[in-house]
Amino acid sequence: MAPSSGGKGEAGKGEHGERTAGARGEGRSGLAGPAGGGGRGPGGGGSGSGGAITPGMTEKQLQARWERIEEALGELPEDDEAEEKLMALKGKWFTDAFSFLSSLPPASHLWCRHRTLTQPLLEPFYHYLSGPPETRATLHALWQRMAKEMRACTRCVARYHAAKRVYEEEYVEEVVGPVLKTLRRLDEERVGGELKALLGRAGGGSGTAGSAAGASGGGSGAGGAGGAGNGDRGGQALDAERDGPGVICLMFELLMYPYLLEDAEVFALAGPALVLVERHFDLSLTPGQRYPGLYYLMLHPSKDTRAIVYTLAKPLGLFKTAADLRPIDPLLQQCMHALEYDLFDTGIGAGTDTFGGTGTGPGAGAGLGRASAAVNANPSAHGGGGEREGRERPRVVHTKEDMWQGLLTILSLMAPPALDEGVVERYPAFVSIVLNHVGEDTSVFRPALACLRMMLQVTGYKLWLHSAFPPGVVRNTLISQCFNSTHEPTHKLLLDLLPPFLQSVESLETEEFERQRRSILFFLLIQLPNSRNFSTTTIKIARRIAFHLILHSYLLSPPLPPTDCADIWGPPLVGAVKDASLPDPLRLPAVHLAQAILTADAAALTSLALSRAFAGASARGLVSGSDLGPACVPSVFSRALVCPGDAEGGGEGGEGGGGGGGDCRGGDGVVAGGVDASSTGQSCTSSSSSSSSSSISEGLPQDQLDRLAELAAAESDRWQCAPALWVELLERTPPQWLPKPLLRAAVWVAGHFCLSASAAAAAAAVTSAGSKPLVTSSLAVTSSAVVTAALHWRLAPGAGGGGRGAKAGCVNAVVAAAHEEELSVILQRSVSSCLVQIRGANRLKLLTWHASLAEPLIFLLVDSQLGHGS
């Protein structure tokens, strides 16, 4: 059921530019105010001529008369007599216009067909509540007709609210304020009464509507009915032909003009009414425009209401930019105001209208305080006014839980630019509010945690530009909350927040990122498993998250592997790979990480070796850079290696060249698995999502491994290796426990080193005698003290590295450029040992064929026939 009957996107805008009574921006206005009292005609200020009705006046004549009155008001001299005369003419016009409109047939809607006469007649509504009985009776009759027509025509609804917006925007607030305040009250009473009537027709008895009205504290409205029951508890069902037009207009007005939902009674009744309509009608909204009332109702306490509202809002699409948030800016202001000043349990401005009494559109008011609970009954149909004081209807007041839940839903419907510019930048205090609630054990802890996660994922590093807290404080807060709780679901929520937190710090200084990463890995892999506060499942989840974080660091461009804390994550990684009893989802991240480490380390070491060999030949003038292409490295393998400097697409050494000038790409401009050299600046950060749906036998996608090899080769001069991992994973792991991705990685590494040996032989053929060989023929090479120490795990004493500091590094990490020969020998020996064990255990037949195995297997076969291989 789409609200289409004439109600279009222009709702709320002034149409055709008509102007209402009164002068703009000046103290002397034609609007009937306190000085214009006296009750002579509907408009107040008139003399004795106001009571006579001019017979036979046509609509065009009335329009012309009103235009002349407006012109006279704009040029009114400082003369009391002239002013009194003009007010008399104005009062007479009100009387004639009302008489003309009253004579129209019911099918001729006032706002649809006679808006130019109806719009000025809003001015006399200043006297609706406190004027003379005759005036109130006349205005009441006019209002009753307007209300009846607005229940059957959405165009009337749109034009009525457009007229009120003209009053609000074009005239002085002090003068027009009382009129708008009265109209607002009448609208709230009218809509509240119609909601109760709707629920009453479908239910009967005192049910949902009655309890909602009682909870709101509001009095009965102008069209009010008694308490009504829920639609599914007896009574007659809603009929599409009989109730459809009224339901369409009512829902359209609620959703397009959300200031009505700031009334406590209307807000309370709107929820059950929407549920009722959804059960009896096919509820849908016309696409292409926003319905701000939907987002107001997301703060409703009823879960059914929130579910229906979210279903209706989702097809409308996301708020793409901050400008798109303009329709719900008042709601966001209200929420931020309430959150900042904790306005949930106590009201602000008790006994007064918290919206100032002048706002009629979505932008009216920012307060959420509870108004006076004492609301007098409405005046009777034809009089009984009383004083204006004490008549303010109570404003809606949300609980903290409802506001957080609703705000979280609204934020989820924002695209990154809208959330970043429209919320985080516009309301910087909101970031601190969220962080404060994350650090407290309150009823809104989970929604606050979800808000923080959303902002970290969407805004990234920009979050820290608007936060009063540094990343270290937030990290400590999250970790402290983990230790403070014994609830496993809470642990999972907090642990899931660590990856987006760390990614938000990536764009900050490298040292800050490494510091936060080291502390998080220490917590996940050392502190958490050794605490009795966490279950076995939580420990396994923490380990999986840690391995995802490390793999993500390897796949960055350029890579930032956490080798500075290899002593923290190395032993747990080895244990997870060897633990065949772990389910695939928990073991898979460890297998992927081990596969990535073997690939990256082999690529970095062979790149360093090739760089040294070709640099030596080039230094002796025996070979030029152009000679070290396809003649040096067979084209079939040119995609598997990249010399330092080639990642930039040139043949000059560059940062990673180590002095080398050769081009090992073959000449087709392709490096590392067919990835174009120009694309090396892009980031690979999809490890978590790519591995979640893989099985333990698949491993990482080959394109990720190829790209990782390319990046590691380009960074080989700064690369660090943890040789203890090779020994533990390849030599000391029984073949039956070794996953298939690691078997493929071992074969790939072996082929890689054979390729290095072939390239070294080509370089040696043109090098003078006595040049240093690329790879030592014997695998028994004396290791230095640094490498020997790195082969034995040193348990991490703390997140700070035991006082060694980030620059001092980790004992188990060795700089590849300084110990390239020793590390190459250790890796070759580990791979050879692994392949021998696999062959002995007859495990090669279990190795699933993969295209990535073609090149290394062929080269291993050729190398063994030449007598070079292991």
Side-chain angles (χ1 to χ4, degrees), residues 168 173 184 259 262 296 328-335 337 348 353-369 395:
E168 181 182 1
E173 181 179 349
R184 175 171 183 154
Y259 77 89
E262 293 168 353
Y296 279 69
I328 64 169
D329 271 343
L331 174 62
L332 293 177
Q333 293 172 12
Q334 293 173 16
C335 292
H337 183 72
I348 53 176
D353 188 342
T354 59
F355 297 93
T358 61
T360 62
L368 281 179
R395 302 294 94 188

Side-chain angles (χ1 to χ4, degrees), residues 27-83:
R28 301 180 62 203
S29 169
L31 286 168
R40 302 179 181 90
S47 57
S49 60
I53 299 177
T54 305
M57 292 294 293
T58 64
E59 184 170 4
K60 289 185 178 180
Q61 290 174 330
L62 288 171
Q63 290 178 9
R65 282 175 57 189
W66 181 252
E67 290 174 358
R68 290 194 296 269
I69 291 174
E70 278 196 312
E71 293 175 1
L73 284 171
E75 302 172 356
L76 190 64
E78 295 288 343
D79 185 351
D80 293 340
E81 184 178 350
E83 182 176 357

Side-chain angles (χ1 to χ4, degrees), residues 107-164:
S108 184
H109 291 183
L110 303 185
W111 286 106
C112 280
R113 301 184 181 182
H114 311 281
R115 183 177 49 173
T116 54
L117 299 183
T118 308
Q119 184 166 310
L121 282 176
L122 291 180
E123 176 185 337
F125 275 84
Y126 173 85
H127 298 290
Y128 187 93
L129 298 177
S130 60
E134 180 185 355
T135 302
R136 293 202 307 271
T138 304
L139 293 175
H140 184 81
L142 179 63
W143 179 250
Q144 287 290 81
R145 175 161 182 169
M146 288 182 182
K148 182 179 179 180
E149 293 173 354
M150 283 192 284
R151 286 293 62 82
C153 175
T154 54
R155 185 180 296 274
C156 285
V157 173
R159 291 189 170 181
Y160 164 71
H161 286 281
K164 290 209 303 178

Side-chain angles (χ1 to χ4, degrees), residues 419-698:
L419 179 59
D420 184 17
E421 301 171 11
V423 177
V424 176
E425 290 186 8
R426 189 174 300 177
Y427 307 104
F430 180 60
V431 177
S432 299
I433 292 171
V434 171
L435 295 176
N436 281 326
H437 280 81
V438 167
E440 300 173 357
D441 188 12
T442 64
S443 59
V444 297
F445 170 73
R446 290 198 173 193
L449 207 62
C451 282
L452 177 58
R453 178 186 180 89
M454 192 181 305
M455 290 192 295
L456 287 172
Q457 291 175 331
V458 171
T459 64
Y461 76 94
K462 294 182 180 179
L463 180 71
W464 307 112
L465 304 180
H466 305 283
S467 172
F469 303 98
V473 173
V474 178
R475 180 206 69 220
N476 289 336
T477 299
L478 297 176
I479 293 176
S480 298
Q481 286 289 63
C482 285
F483 283 110
N484 292 337
S485 174
T486 57
H487 193 221
E488 186 174 303
T490 301
H491 290 158
K492 187 179 183 304
L493 288 174
L494 290 164
L495 294 180
D496 286 342
L497 199 62
L498 295 178
F501 164 78
L502 193 58
Q503 290 183 25
S504 71
V505 187
E506 281 178 7
S507 298
L508 302 180
E509 295 181 359
T510 302
E511 291 186 2
E512 176 68 18
F513 169 66
E514 292 178 344
R515 186 184 307 112
Q516 302 304 329
R517 180 178 60 183
R518 187 164 52 246
S519 298
I520 289 176
L521 292 177
F522 184 78
F523 163 69
L524 293 174
L525 298 174
I526 305 296
Q527 291 179 305
L528 191 147
N530 290 301
S531 173
R532 290 181 293 181
N533 204 43
F534 304 97
S535 65
T536 304
T537 303
T538 302
I539 293 174
K540 293 178 180 178
I541 292 175
R543 188 164 56 182
R544 180 186 64 188
I545 292 174
F547 297 151
H548 274 311
L549 293 177
I550 300 169
L551 180 60
H552 174 77
S553 298
Y554 269 92
L555 296 178
L556 289 174
S557 180
L560 287 174
T563 48
D564 59 310
C565 55
D567 48 355
I568 294 177
W569 54 267
L573 174 62
V574 173
V577 172
K578 291 183 178 181
D579 189 357
S581 65
L582 278 177
D584 282 3
L586 297 177
R587 193 184 182 201
L588 192 60
V591 174
H592 284 182
L593 177 57
Q595 185 184 15
I597 290 174
L598 290 176
T599 300
D601 288 351
L605 290 173
T606 51
S607 178
L608 287 170
L610 286 172
S611 176
R612 173 169 53 83
F614 296 153
S618 179
R620 291 174 174 81
L622 301 173
V623 63
S624 65
S626 60
D627 295 330
L628 298 178
C632 172
V633 182
S635 60
V636 70
F637 297 108
S638 62
R639 294 184 291 108
L641 283 177
V642 57
C643 288
D646 290 342
E648 303 300 325
E652 298 179 5
E655 287 186 5
D663 184 355
C664 298
R665 294 178 296 165
D668 55 359
V670 179
V671 293
V675 180
D676 191 276
S678 63
S679 66
T680 57
Q682 298 176 358
S683 229
C684 279
T685 59
S686 58
S687 60
S688 297
S689 60
S690 65
S691 64
S692 59
S693 59
S694 304
S695 67
I696 197 68
S697 61
E698 293 180 4

